[in-house]
Amino acid sequence: MTGGEVAGILVAVFWAILVSFLAVVLVRLAQTLRATTRLVADVTEQAVPLLADASATVRSAQTQLDRVDAIATDVQDVTSNASALSTTVASTFGGPLVKVAAFGYGVRKAMSRKTDAPDTVAPAESRRTVIVGRTVPAPRRKKRRG
């Protein structure tokens, strides 16, 4: 055998090993691609119903938010109406009620002055005023002569 024949045999063996190695790699790559295809198909089968459910849930949530918005608007209207009613009632009845109360107070004061005799003076204990923890005697009255 010559050197060229030995070199040719070595190259042929090298190419045979290389082709065998590439064949094994391609077989494993084909298996991986089949497994990936099955996985993608399974995920697609499960994802489509999940996306449909999620879409339905989002639509339902939007409907509920629209309802809550309508309710909040109605509550705001009721609140403003109640505020206006409160203001109207206060302005309508507030002034006259204060006047009636003041009139009643004035009548009571006038009646109490008429019932008290001008010659009698209330006992000193009943006329004392308490100011920040102290008892201060009432001012002295002069007896009226009649």
Side-chain angles (χ1 to χ4, degrees):
M1 273 215 271
T2 64
E5 291 175 347
V6 172
I9 291 175
L10 286 176
V11 170
V13 170
F14 174 73
W15 278 107
I17 292 172
L18 182 64
V19 168
S20 298
F21 177 72
L22 287 176
V24 170
V25 169
L26 288 175
V27 168
R28 294 206 179 205
L29 182 62
Q31 289 174 351
T32 304
L33 286 175
R34 272 189 239 115
T36 304
T37 304
R38 274 195 308 265
L39 180 64
V40 168
D42 291 344
V43 168
T44 302
E45 288 176 11
Q46 293 175 2
V48 170
L50 287 176
L51 289 174
D53 289 345
S55 177
T57 302
V58 167
R59 274 189 239 111
S60 174
Q62 182 62 37
T63 303
Q64 295 299 326
L65 285 174
D66 290 342
R67 288 181 184 169
V68 168
D69 188 38
I71 290 170
T73 302
D74 292 344
V75 167
Q76 185 179 8
D77 291 343
V78 167
T79 303
S80 65
N81 289 342
S83 175
L85 179 64
S86 170
T87 303
T88 302
V89 168
S91 65
T92 302
F93 295 113
L97 285 177
V98 168
K99 290 177 183 177
V100 167
F103 179 74
Y105 178 75
V107 167
R108 275 195 315 258
K109 276 295 204 184
M111 294 302 284
S112 69
R113 284 186 182 160
K114 283 189 176 186
T115 58
D116 285 345
D119 294 338
T120 61
V121 176
E125 287 296 321
S126 65
R127 293 290 183 176
R128 291 187 181 199
T129 306
V130 176
I131 299 176
V132 191
R134 295 186 188 180
T135 304
V136 179
R140 297 182 186 198
R141 290 187 175 176
K142 293 182 180 178
K143 290 187 179 180
R144 294 184 190 175
R145 292 189 184 181

